[in-house]
Amino acid sequence: MIDLNPSTNSPAPSELGPSIGKAPGSGTRFDRKARLRWSNKLFRLVCIGSASFVCLVLLCILVLMLRTGVLTFGDVSLSEFFFSTNWDPENEHYGALIFILGTLALTGLTMLFAIPISVIIAVFLAEMTPKWLRHTLRPVLDLLVGIPSVVYGFLGLTILIPWLRDLSGHDLADGLLAASIVLTIMVLPTISRISDDAISAVPNKYRDAAYALGANRFQTVIRVVLPAARSGIMYAVILGMTRAIGETMAVVMVIGNTAQLPNSLFTPTSVLTSNIVMQISSVEFDSTWNHGLYMMGFILLAISILMIVVVRMFQKKGGHSS
Amino acid sequence: MKKWIKPFTAMLMAVSLIGGLGGATTASAAKSTEKGKIVINGSSALLPLTLQAASEFKKDNPKVKISASAAGSITGPQSVRKGIADIGAVDWDASKDVPGFKKFDGMVANPVAVTVFTAVVNTNVGVSNLTTKQLQDIFSGKVTNWKEVGGSDANIVVVNRKFGSGTRVNFQQKALDGKDFMSKGDNYKEVGSSGDMKTTIETTPNAIGYIDLPYVTSKMKAVSINGVAPTEKNVLNKTYKVWGIGYYMTKGQPTGATKAFIDYIQSSKFQNGSLKKLKFIPLAAVK
């Protein structure tokens, strides 16, 4: 009884923690206060350092790609590189327009397929599934993200393409459609899982209010839940899009790798990533061809950065208006 | 990256020891005295050979470190020139000009093995023999229907290897007599490796492509050229001419551990032993 209370009194305060209520100057240089200040400062420095390291890496990549890529224009005019569709490096023609258009078309088509499907999956997961099913489906989707892209590409090559061939009547069904279907399957889990989280994070009071006003479930989801989760879904789309635009191995196996402008969705063609990966290892190190491929890599990087910026701007606007 | 590795590249030749005669003795005499580091890069076709030779060589020469990788024929001599590698494995003689590739000055080509290449078609194609002219017309896009070369009425699908492939260089020179490939068209595609070529030919009706002999499976058909089937026997009796020699490129004459290693690969012990087991066979017989 007696021992319980007086713990504050009996031990000498200096022994417990000299620096706590006291001003500095309590003796040692590295008292608790100083240590705290130092460790806080250090922690902050480490965080700032890590963050700027990321920026530095990105900057280095950009600079390296641009510096090597720009050498292309010593031998090739800007207008040829960006506005010609004649890619025939063996005969000194370096027109990269096919690949730029191909990349944009492929990403666009993929998003056209992927966004509606994955948002529906997300809505289903977040709003309609019973708990046990949700707990099964989410890990399944997470696992899909982890499958190496080569596997998707191989399945596309051996299953999807013969199927498309029968369906379309083309002799060779490689092309934008096959590639975008493979990419759609690859980005579905990314987009739907993140959208799912965004939708789940919408407070229940919104739904309750909508139901209280007499809305049915469809109206609630379309008019209330999705707009409320909009920025999260946008974020999911960005991630999906960057995965689609940079995906290489799977695309290479189903796109046909032919440097021509496609006149249908079933014509073999080529995009920036597939062309780079096909050629980079076979090209002389310091040739115009090699520099051209670097330039194409830089364009790829620039396109994805631009897309992220544009989507971010959209996101902000949406955030203000709603 | 696994796709780059051609597990086996056939060499269907018998041994005889051109430059290797003296090498054989040097290699055994040099037992365990060599030390150093050998870096090998280049042809994926020759990689299995290189790896096998390296593991055997290291038993005799424990002080030599060998690291081998493969990123495609043309990277071999390039890496040697840049000083990244000591040996550049390549499917053609890179010390001479080859269509599309300038020669590498100051490099020595050390022959190590021979590969047989063959035109292959999907099993549904009813054609089993093509002339050189017909092959040229098909691969340049002039002939687009199988009935024009004696098959059924179906469009030809042409599958090509990408630029820089050693298989492509050999096929173009020896099966097409140097004629150019087409590069565009609805029924034309390019693939990155022998593995992709195999899969594509197997799964695409009416397709034609070309590949190294060990890759030929029951799901595809190797086509005779000018009536000669692509077999080891026909290469040895000199009637089938679509084959090529794989080389190890070195900067100047090889020295030290590098020389010992190349000597080992050229020795009759290795050429008649492991090399044959890997479906590579020694090179001298074709000379």
Side-chain angles (χ1 to χ4, degrees):
Chain A
M1 260 242 307
I2 313 159
D3 292 328
L4 286 175
N5 274 340
S7 57
T8 40
N9 298 342
S10 60
S14 58
E15 270 175 306
L16 256 183
S19 68
I20 291 183
K22 278 192 172 181
S26 63
T28 45
R29 276 179 77 188
F30 285 101
D31 57 355
R32 184 167 150 78
K33 202 169 184 184
R35 282 203 311 273
L36 261 177
R37 209 175 34 233
W38 271 103
S39 61
N40 278 350
K41 242 184 201 165
L42 197 70
F43 182 63
R44 213 177 132 214
L45 270 177
V46 169
C47 289
I48 293 174
S50 309
S52 40
F53 178 69
V54 175
C55 298
L56 189 75
V57 168
L58 180 66
L59 198 74
C60 285
I61 294 175
L62 274 171
V63 167
L64 176 84
M65 298 295 283
L66 185 64
R67 219 187 51 186
T68 319
V70 156
L71 295 175
T72 319
F73 301 118
D75 308 291
V76 186
S77 70
L78 268 171
S79 62
E80 187 193 344
F81 192 82
F82 287 105
F83 299 111
S84 158
T85 57
N86 188 1
W87 178 261
D88 186 10
E90 292 160 64
N91 300 314
E92 314 265 302
H93 294 296
Y94 302 92
L97 186 63
I98 301 165
F99 310 119
I100 299 171
L101 290 180
T103 295
L104 295 177
L106 180 60
T107 312
L109 201 62
T110 305
M111 288 301 121
L112 202 67
F113 294 147
I115 293 174
I117 301 176
S118 40
V119 169
I120 291 172
I121 292 176
V123 167
F124 174 71
L125 271 177
E127 298 284 309
M128 295 166 201
T129 38
K131 221 175 191 175
W132 65 268
L133 187 58
R134 194 178 311 163
H135 288 316
T136 334
L137 276 178
R138 279 185 181 159
V140 167
L141 281 175
D142 290 341
L143 279 177
L144 275 177
V145 182
I147 295 178
S149 56
V150 175
V151 174
Y152 285 106
F154 190 73
L155 293 178
L157 184 64
T158 51
I159 295 170
L160 176 69
I161 285 190
W163 183 71
L164 280 178
R165 207 177 278 145
D166 290 343
L167 211 69
S168 68
H170 281 74
D171 297 305
L172 203 59
D174 297 55
L176 287 177
L177 186 65
S180 61
I181 291 175
V182 169
L183 282 184
T184 299
I185 295 169
M186 289 184 64
V187 302
L188 269 185
T190 311
I191 305 184
S192 55
R193 272 299 274 124
I194 298 170
S195 307
D196 171 26
D197 287 344
I199 293 172
S200 302
V202 174
N204 263 332
K205 59 182 181 191
Y206 286 24
R207 298 184 185 87
D208 295 342
Y211 287 133
L213 286 171
N216 60 23
R217 187 181 249 177
F218 177 74
Q219 288 165 329
T220 308
V221 167
I222 295 292
R223 297 294 186 81
V224 176
V225 176
L226 284 185
R230 186 183 155 148
S231 71
I233 294 174
M234 277 290 200
Y235 178 64
V237 170
I238 302 172
L239 281 185
M241 223 148 65
T242 43
R243 180 158 196 211
I245 207 171
E247 177 45 46
T248 312
M249 287 324 290
V251 171
V252 141
M253 295 172 90
V254 296
I255 194 121
N257 303 310
T258 308
Q260 60 188 353
L261 271 183
N263 49 28
S264 80
L265 291 178
F266 298 102
T267 310
T269 178
S270 204
V271 295
L272 288 169
T273 49
S274 68
N275 192 62
I276 294 172
V277 80
M278 285 284 281
Q279 303 189 334
I280 195 77
S281 60
S282 353
V283 173
E284 277 194 62
F285 288 141
D286 290 318
S287 59
T288 313
W289 190 345
N290 186 293
H291 298 150
L293 292 177
Y294 269 92
M295 194 63 216
M296 284 164 58
F298 178 75
I299 293 169
L300 195 64
L301 211 58
I303 292 177
S304 36
I305 290 175
L306 200 75
M307 270 170 31
I308 290 173
V309 169
V310 166
V311 176
R312 289 253 155 190
M313 277 161 59
F314 259 115
Q315 203 179 343
K316 251 181 210 153
K317 240 187 239 162
H320 281 303
S321 66
S322 63
Chain B
M1 279 305 129
K2 273 177 216 142
K3 297 189 297 108
W4 296 83
I5 298 166
K6 297 181 190 170
F8 304 105
T9 299
M11 320 276 65
L12 311 190
M13 292 301 90
V15 186
S16 99
L17 306 182
I18 8 145
L21 255 182
T25 44
T26 330
S28 46
K31 179 164 172 123
S32 80
T33 58
E34 294 294 346
K35 52 185 163 184
K37 194 165 176 279
I38 310 174
V39 180
I40 304 164
N41 194 2
S43 164
S44 51
L46 295 169
L47 186 63
L49 180 81
T50 306
L51 292 176
Q52 177 64 31
S55 73
E56 290 177 20
F57 185 74
K58 270 188 280 196
K59 268 180 217 150
D60 291 344
N61 301 274
K63 281 180 185 162
V64 177
K65 271 194 178 171
I66 301 179
S67 61
S69 61
S73 277
I74 188 66
T75 51
Q78 281 177 8
S79 306
V80 174
R81 185 163 64 191
K82 275 219 156 188
I84 305 166
D86 305 300
I87 293 177
V90 56
D91 291 342
W92 66 84
D93 185 350
S95 62
K96 293 179 189 136
D97 282 331
V98 174
F101 302 97
K102 284 198 205 89
K103 68 175 174 185
F104 289 81
D105 283 323
M107 283 201 202
V108 176
N110 307 279
V112 287
V114 183
T115 319
V116 179
F117 305 100
T118 175
V120 284
V121 294
N122 186 277
T123 39
N124 90 317
V125 175
V127 173
S128 57
N129 177 49
L130 291 167
T131 65
T132 304
K133 177 83 174 63
Q134 283 171 332
L135 279 174
Q136 288 171 348
D137 287 348
I138 288 172
F139 279 100
S140 66
K142 253 185 247 162
V143 167
T144 57
N145 196 305
W146 280 115
K147 76 177 173 201
E148 293 172 66
V149 291
S152 52
D153 184 5
N155 288 328
I156 298 175
V157 173
V158 175
V159 187
N160 200 1
R161 287 286 300 276
K162 62 168 183 167
F163 180 82
S165 148
T167 309
R168 172 171 161 154
V169 168
N170 277 288
F171 191 79
Q172 183 175 13
Q173 279 189 309
K174 286 150 191 166
L176 305 182
D177 280 343
K179 280 273 163 53
D180 279 339
F181 290 107
M182 63 206 281
S183 64
K184 288 177 167 52
D186 282 359
N187 287 346
Y188 171 83
K189 72 178 275 189
E190 286 180 19
V191 292
S193 68
S194 296
D196 285 351
M197 176 63 90
K198 172 175 155 287
T199 314
T200 309
I201 296 294
E202 281 176 355
T203 57
T204 313
N206 303 314
I208 184 167
Y210 51 87
I211 207 161
D212 338 347
L213 210 48
Y215 276 98
V216 177
T217 65
S218 58
K219 290 181 196 156
M220 59 175 82
K221 198 156 55 177
V223 178
S224 302
I225 299 176
N226 300 321
V228 185
T231 61
E232 181 186 350
K233 200 181 102 224
N234 286 338
V235 174
L236 290 178
N237 67 24
K238 301 192 175 179
T239 49
Y240 189 80
K241 58 189 173 82
V242 190
W243 50 265
I245 297 174
Y247 294 90
Y248 277 179
M249 305 302 297
T250 51
K251 203 177 254 176
Q253 287 297 338
T255 54
T258 308
K259 177 172 178 2
F261 180 63
I262 293 176
D263 286 344
Y264 180 78
I265 258 194
Q266 290 173 336
S267 71
S268 61
K269 174 178 168 246
F270 184 76
Q271 296 262 320
N272 285 324
S274 307
L275 187 132
K276 264 187 172 172
K277 267 184 226 143
L278 283 168
K279 297 192 184 177
F280 288 88
I281 293 174
L283 17 94
V286 291
K287 293 268 160 138

